[in-house]
Amino acid sequence: MVSEEQMLFFGMLKQLVGGTAQSKASSCRKLVLPLQFLGTSQHRITAEANFHSASFSEAEPPRVLITAVSLGGLGQLGVGLANLLRKRFGKDNVILSDIRKPPAHVFHSGPFVYANILDYKNLREIVVNHRISWLFHYSALLSAVGEANVSLARDVNINGLHNVLDVAAEYNVRLFVPSTIGAFGPTSPRNPAPDLCIQRPRTIYGVSKVHTELMGEYYYYRYGLDFRCLRYPGIISADSQPGGGTTDYAVQIFHAAAKNGTFECNLEASTRLPMMYISDCLRATLEVMEAPEERLSMRTYNIGAMSFTPEELAQELRKHAPDFQITYCVDPLRQAIAESWPMILDDSNARKDWGWKHGFDLPELVATMLSFHGVSARVAQVN
């Protein structure tokens, strides 16, 4: 026997299908069902949620939360992003979070809260109590670390994402979640990889990022969630430690050059991968979040800057430190991962739609990294 609720549901579906058939233009519009029928996770989105009313006026800055689980907000990108956003929107409007106790310089630099993305209630309370209007979700286990602990990566990268999506949709929060070159696979075009192509990654990290891209787009069309995503290349930062990714050799090599002038690389000398200096990455993230929605032709964009091999990086490094030595001891797991990723990202849509333009090529990257670590100064003294 069909219930009254089911009859109402099928009646609305009939109206939607009928309306679509009558007008060609309606096929381009979002089909949004009444909210009592919505909800894709264990946390049902309530009928009282207001998805389309502004959560903050244009005159006031956004209230920002950067989420993390160990490798997120306190890792390579979260603190740098918080510093950039605090300069733009004010220190008290940007909140860092993690499940770890923050170091003193992070704690005293601006607001910090405990936030576990696997605790839906905790996450919801933070969004409500702090009137969050922008959310940057950086919590993820990276490629090599994820392969070493698949169940944890699945829990953090996928279940945590579901909590964030539901909270952001319920409270009309503009949501940014980074994706990665790891979202591509061995059957994807590699030189270059376009925004839209076959994606069949073979790591739990890559699978979770494809899931992120598709779920974000789904929530945009189904619920009206303002979801934005960039596929990051390998990110190189001077003032942070590597976080367990396959591209981390390009960070480790500078630490090694500063310490003893030698480096053992776990990828083959000719392995070409797309890379980006962290300041370009953070600027791109802010730019896509500030871009008017009407300028965005898609929800997930590639962004690129430079592409190089370990040997090309070592050659550029030797221009500053001629005695630097690199050897190779290839890690089969990391090498297989790298060979399934793009060599170059096609970011023409980002450049066309919202004006993306990188600032650092390989020579600028190497000079900046070595200067930070004091390698150039030491070589000058020796000479």
Side-chain angles (χ1 to χ4, degrees), residues 25 51 79 120 123 158 160 180 205 213 223 295 302 316 323 329 353 360:
F51 297 98
V79 174
Y120 179 79
L123 187 60
I158 295 178
T180 168
Y205 178 56
E213 295 174 11
Y223 301 156
R295 293 182 59 183
N302 290 340
E316 186 65 34
D323 294 332
C329 182
D353 286 1
F360 282 77

Side-chain angles (χ1 to χ4, degrees), residues 232-260:
Y232 290 162
I235 304 302
I236 301 173
S237 171
D239 58 351
S240 64
Q241 294 295 322
T246 300
T247 58
D248 277 351
Y249 85 87
V251 177
Q252 294 165 331
I253 193 172
F254 293 101
H255 289 276
K259 185 178 180 180
N260 55 27

Side-chain angles (χ1 to χ4, degrees), residues 6 34 38 102 110 226 283 348 363:
Q6 289 172 321
L38 302 184
D226 190 353
R283 179 170 54 83
S348 55

Side-chain angles (χ1 to χ4, degrees), residues 241-289:
Q241 294 295 322
T246 300
T247 58
D248 277 351
Y249 85 87
V251 177
Q252 294 165 331
I253 193 172
F254 293 101
H255 289 276
K259 185 178 180 180
N260 55 27
T262 64
F263 177 65
E264 184 177 88
C265 184
N266 53 29
L267 295 180
E268 293 178 359
S270 59
T271 305
R272 183 172 300 280
L273 290 168
M275 301 284 185
M276 179 177 288
Y277 187 57
I278 189 169
S279 65
D280 277 347
C281 173
L282 299 178
R283 179 170 54 83
T285 302
L286 176 57
E287 286 177 1
V288 77
M289 281 294 275

